[in-house]
Amino acid sequence: MPVPTSARADVVIVGGGHNALVAAAYLARAGRTVTVLERLATTGGAAVSTRPFAGVDARLSRYSYLVSLLPRKIVHDLDLDFAVRPRTVSSYTPTVREGRATGLLVGGGDDRTRASFARLTGGDREYEAWTRFYETTRRAAERIFPTLTEPLPTRAELRTRLDDEAAWRLLFEEPIGVGIEEHFDDDLVRGVVLTDALIGTFADAHDPELAQNRCFLYHVIGGGTGDWDVPVGGMGALTDALAAAARAAGADLRTGHDVTGIETDGRTAEVTYRTGDTEGTIAARHVLVNASPEHLARLLGDTPPAPAEGAQLKVNMLLKRLPRLKDTSVDPREAFAGTFHVAEGYGQLAAVHAEAAGGALPEAPPCEIYCHSLTDPSILAPDLVERGYQTLTLFGLHTPARLFTADNDAARAALLKATLAQLDAHLAEPLADCLAEDADGRPCIEAKTPLDLEQDLRLPGGNIFHRALSFPYTQEGTGPWGVETAHANVLLCGAGAVRGGGVSGIPGHNAAMAVLRH
């Protein structure tokens, strides 16, 4: 029979992802007693590093890959032993023009980027439009990003803060497709810009609900610059640093504790949990929940929100060597160091969205890839580095969870095959010839569908944002920090909060501020 236990804390945090650890560290450093209850055997949630291939010492960022939205303020406040490294190339997009393998390289200096645009498009117009467009988003990033760790502004206050009506219209008023088509003529250039609006978000460029705009906004404002950097040591290095900071401050981090319910009267709360051999309760003044709003509703016995749905394929690979490219003007070490776009022309993205919306797996799935180990080889054992091994992580777009419900295994296999075929079309050798093998002789490649992410991490419908992203201003039903719920002492501290989504720590910071200023 399970042995019941009971305890008390100032704050109980349900779930041990990176946002939970941020909140725990802030609250414990402020003198609160904090207990974190995590279902899995380790903390970190989706921001972890693992060795997914048997007998191979390669520590991959398994679910989340890059860092942009994590404020330096959090790193500084919590004295984190954590660093990021910039990528030498922003992106490379291969294509075929007039029967010739070519592509668009962004990075390596302004002159080189300008020359790449000219080679692809035949002139300077698209490069100059690119420069103007991203100067607009950079100015927006400088003004908007600092607000993410402040109390929520109203829509009018954020508009005043931005102080740029053209940028406001581009980002907040009209579908992002309108702005892209106004600025750019080339289909491939348009597609490269649009991809930032579609990461994990199933939407058309002209969706009137602006889901794509909200996704685009969070992808271009990170750090006040929009840069996406490589976490040194892998994503697990961040959560290891956060866990160390929380423990050093006195937080009690408990793994293998599956929370089964929350009861609250708005002033005090009781959290029930089970482990392998015990059941227990912890009383607390505040409960922070680093889980989806859907899961929170189940824990409280409340009416759940509308079901969420993810729309991505995640693939992790280890290669013996980088593949050669058909476009011989670009070194593979440059092409894969940034974001490598595949089948992401503007027209292609629209066609695939329509295909998936109609219930069919995409025949030519779009995806983007990058190689962590080119920027940070520390995730590989020294002998693998010496032998030239490299990692690849792939993120597929426009693959909503509904496409996998009939037969997840069959759909995963079919989608992976089709996705790699699109990549192979731009390679001078099959990717399969470059894959490393694990200790059992199996290729080092794993794929995760939205349903796999739901199974592994309890992401509702595999949605990496927990639910649709929100614009970063006050929303109906939330309080000053965007973390509040209908229960005064129960707060969201995960991606489902306003200003949630992505590896940022922002919801954890804001939930801690809401408690400390209560």
Side-chain angles (χ1 to χ4, degrees):
M1 291 289 292
V3 179
T5 64
S6 61
R8 178 175 295 276
D10 292 329
V11 182
V12 171
I13 304 179
V14 178
H18 79 283
N19 279 305
L21 300 174
V22 168
Y26 271 106
L27 291 167
R29 287 164 72 101
R32 302 295 199 274
T33 57
V34 180
T35 299
V36 177
L37 303 177
E38 166 55 48
R39 172 180 62 96
L40 299 176
T42 59
T43 57
V48 293
S49 297
T50 58
R51 293 177 175 82
F53 307 122
V56 181
D57 192 5
R59 195 164 182 261
L60 278 63
S61 300
R62 195 168 203 176
Y63 302 106
S64 300
Y65 305 146
L66 294 167
V67 174
S68 176
L69 290 163
L70 175 68
R72 296 303 301 174
K73 167 183 168 53
I74 292 176
V75 176
H76 179 266
D77 286 352
L78 301 182
D79 299 315
L80 299 183
D81 181 15
F82 172 72
V84 296
R85 193 171 292 165
R87 300 182 292 173
T88 56
V89 170
S90 176
S91 70
Y92 171 72
T93 308
T95 191
V96 176
R97 292 280 167 95
E98 300 176 350
R100 176 177 59 90
T102 184
L104 177 65
L105 183 73
V106 179
D110 291 343
D111 289 344
R112 193 165 182 208
T113 300
R114 178 189 287 272
S116 185
F117 270 90
R119 212 167 32 245
L120 179 75
T121 67
D124 287 339
R125 185 201 178 283
E126 292 294 88
Y127 172 75
E128 291 167 357
W130 178 281
T131 301
R132 289 193 301 271
F133 184 89
Y134 284 107
E135 177 61 24
T136 297
T137 65
R138 185 193 63 77
R139 289 196 306 270
E142 290 176 348
R143 291 167 171 81
I144 294 173
F145 189 72
T147 72
L148 301 189
T149 49
E150 300 171 358
L152 276 170
T154 65
R155 180 180 170 92
E157 288 169 343
L158 188 64
R159 188 171 189 166
T160 299
R161 182 93 167 238
L162 179 56
D163 191 27
D164 184 333
E165 284 304 305
W168 183 264
R169 179 172 66 87
L170 172 74
L171 297 170
F172 294 91
E173 295 282 356
E174 295 180 342
I176 194 66
V178 173
I180 290 174
E181 291 168 20
E182 284 180 355
H183 282 80
F184 305 103
D185 291 329
D186 188 88
D187 181 84
L188 189 73
V189 176
R190 287 178 171 182
V192 173
V193 177
L194 180 60
T195 56
D196 276 338
L198 304 178
I199 303 296
T201 297
F202 186 59
D204 182 74
H206 290 276
D207 184 345
E209 299 298 318
L210 304 186
Q212 74 281 24
N213 286 48
R214 298 191 293 273
C215 185
F216 184 82
L217 179 71
Y218 286 104
H219 277 88
V220 299
I221 64 171
T225 63
D227 293 338
W228 285 82
D229 294 326
V230 176
V232 177
M235 198 62 80
L238 170 60
T239 44
D240 288 348
L242 286 169
R247 287 193 179 98
D252 180 12
L253 309 185
R254 304 184 188 181
T255 56
H257 283 61
D258 189 6
V259 172
T260 56
I262 300 170
E263 292 187 5
T264 180
D265 61 7
R267 292 175 292 105
T268 61
E270 189 171 84
V271 178
T272 60
Y273 65 87
R274 61 170 173 260
T275 68
D277 57 1
T278 63
E279 292 178 353
T281 62
I282 302 181
R285 292 178 58 197
H286 290 92
V287 178
L288 274 54
V289 179
N290 186 198
S292 69
E294 187 175 317
H295 189 64
L296 172 59
R298 286 199 293 271
L299 293 175
L300 287 164
D302 290 347
T303 302
E309 182 180 43
Q312 66 283 315
L313 176 74
K314 285 179 173 279
V315 183
N316 295 314
M317 295 172 267
L318 181 67
L319 308 185
K320 294 177 291 188
R321 65 181 185 280
L322 290 175
R324 292 178 288 111
L325 302 175
K326 289 182 178 177
D327 178 6
T328 57
S329 69
V330 178
D331 185 333
R333 293 180 66 87
E334 287 190 307
F336 286 103
T339 301
F340 189 109
H341 297 277
V342 179
E344 291 191 333
Y346 196 69
Q348 289 174 301
L349 290 167
V352 170
H353 178 268
E355 193 176 12
L361 277 175
E363 292 185 10
C367 71
E368 42 203 60
I369 305 165
Y370 100 101
C371 176
H372 182 117
S373 52
L374 283 170
T375 302
D376 170 36
S378 72
I379 64 171
L380 299 177
D383 69 303
L384 297 181
V385 175
E386 185 176 346
R387 291 156 62 189
Y389 279 49
Q390 301 287 356
T391 64
L392 284 187
T393 53
L394 180 153
F395 195 105
L397 307 183
H398 284 341
T399 56
R402 70 192 80 160
L403 301 182
F404 301 88
T405 53
D407 189 334
N408 188 42
D409 291 340
R412 183 197 309 109
L415 182 62
L416 179 61
K417 181 179 179 181
T419 300
L420 296 183
Q422 291 301 302
L423 172 59
D424 277 349
H426 299 288
L427 304 181
E429 58 183 322
L431 181 71
D433 290 354
C434 301
L435 287 172
E437 294 181 345
D438 69 12
D440 299 317
R442 294 172 298 200
C444 290
I445 182 169
E446 66 165 11
K448 301 282 187 181
T449 72
L451 298 190
D452 296 327
L453 297 180
E454 183 172 47
Q455 177 67 32
D456 291 353
L457 301 171
R458 286 185 178 169
L459 299 179
N463 191 307
I464 59 175
F465 307 127
H466 290 184
R467 60 177 171 183
L469 290 167
S470 300
F471 283 125
Y473 47 68
T474 51
Q475 309 286 318
E476 183 178 354
T478 56
W481 288 96
V483 298
E484 296 80 3
T485 72
H487 305 274
N489 62 341
V490 178
L491 306 174
L492 278 169
C493 71
V498 178
R499 304 180 291 188
V503 177
S504 71
I506 291 168
H509 168 276
N510 292 345
M513 295 305 104
V515 170
L516 295 175
R517 300 183 187 189
H518 184 69

